[in-house]
Amino acid sequence: GYNKRLREEKKLLARKVAERTQEIMKKNMEISSQIDELRQLNDEIAAQRDNLLAQKGVIEQQNSQLETAKTELEQKVKERTAELSISNKELMEHNIQLEQFGFMTAHNLRGPVARLIGLTTIFNNTKPDDPFNVEVINKIHESTKDLDEIIQDMSFILQIKKGLQGTFSKIVVLSVLHKVLHSLREEIQA
């Protein structure tokens, strides 16, 4: 009886060991499967991390390019602002010159015109042959010449101002001087 019992206990124990071994193997397979899943997830996470690092590099590069473009744009804005400031100052100076020229023109023209008006009012219309009228006509002629001279001077000034912004040409002063001296030699000798 004891041996039989011992054999049955051995069988029972062997069966329990086999069941337990199967359970352990089943658990080992589940754990192995879970380890494989974890490795796969770990690989996916590593790939995502690498992808994020690459995107971070691209973003940093784009940020650097944007910063460079911003700096260049700020420099261009500063340069353009400086150019506009200079142009604005030149325009203000030009306006001042125009105002001065207008004032000078009105002032210089007023004298001869006032003389002409005054002379025409003292002209004796009833006696055109009056010797006083001859003097008035001579003065009218002088005032007219003065007025013409002022207009020519103003025209010359405008041409010079226009020439300052126009095209320049090189001249040989010595050659021009010789031509002038040659054309005026009789006056010079006299």
Side-chain angles (χ1 to χ4, degrees):
Y2 177 72
N3 277 342
K4 189 176 179 186
R5 212 167 109 196
L6 196 56
R7 272 190 256 156
E8 280 183 23
E9 282 181 17
K10 273 185 178 182
K11 277 185 181 178
L12 183 63
L13 188 59
R15 209 175 345 132
K16 282 187 180 185
V17 166
E19 286 175 9
R20 192 71 181 134
T21 302
Q22 255 189 329
E23 284 177 20
I24 290 174
M25 286 177 69
K26 186 178 176 184
K27 289 285 182 184
N28 278 344
M29 288 179 79
E30 287 176 10
I31 290 173
S32 180
S33 174
Q34 289 176 349
I35 288 173
D36 287 345
E37 285 179 28
L38 288 174
R39 283 184 184 146
Q40 186 179 359
L41 287 174
N42 195 22
D43 289 346
E44 288 176 14
I45 289 172
Q48 288 177 352
R49 185 192 70 231
D50 292 345
N51 188 18
L52 287 174
L53 286 173
Q55 289 176 357
K56 179 185 175 193
V58 168
I59 289 171
E60 287 174 350
Q61 182 182 11
Q62 289 174 343
N63 282 342
S64 176
Q65 290 172 346
L66 284 173
E67 190 63 35
T68 300
K70 176 187 165 203
T71 302
E72 289 173 0
L73 185 59
E74 286 173 347
Q75 182 62 33
K76 285 180 183 179
V77 167
K78 283 180 186 177
E79 289 172 5
R80 187 65 180 139
T81 301
E83 289 172 4
L84 287 173
S85 179
I86 290 169
S87 293
N88 193 25
K89 286 178 185 176
E90 288 174 356
L91 185 59
M92 287 171 48
E93 288 174 11
H94 187 67
N95 283 342
I96 290 170
Q97 289 175 356
L98 283 174
E99 286 176 12
Q100 290 172 345
F101 185 76
F103 178 75
M104 179 189 74
T105 301
H107 177 75
N108 288 344
L109 291 174
R110 186 171 289 132
V113 169
R115 283 195 311 261
L116 285 171
I117 291 170
L119 290 168
T120 56
T121 58
I122 63 171
F123 185 80
N124 189 349
N125 289 330
T126 57
K127 295 183 186 177
D129 295 338
D130 185 358
F132 179 73
N133 280 348
V134 174
E135 184 67 27
V136 170
I137 294 293
N138 286 337
K139 294 293 182 188
I140 287 174
H141 182 71
E142 286 176 24
S143 292
T144 306
K145 284 171 62 178
D146 289 346
L147 188 58
D148 185 52
E149 236 178 81
I150 290 170
I151 291 171
Q152 286 180 8
D153 287 347
M154 287 189 310
S155 177
F156 183 69
I157 289 170
L158 290 174
Q159 287 175 359
I160 289 173
K161 287 202 176 271
K162 185 178 179 184
L164 290 176
Q165 298 167 354
T167 307
F168 293 97
S169 61
K170 187 176 181 179
I171 61 168
V172 180
V173 176
L174 192 56
S175 172
V176 174
L177 179 63
H178 285 301
K179 286 180 184 177
V180 170
L181 289 174
H182 181 71
S183 67
L184 296 174
R185 79 171 175 256
E186 290 177 14
E187 287 85 357
I188 293 171
Q189 288 173 355

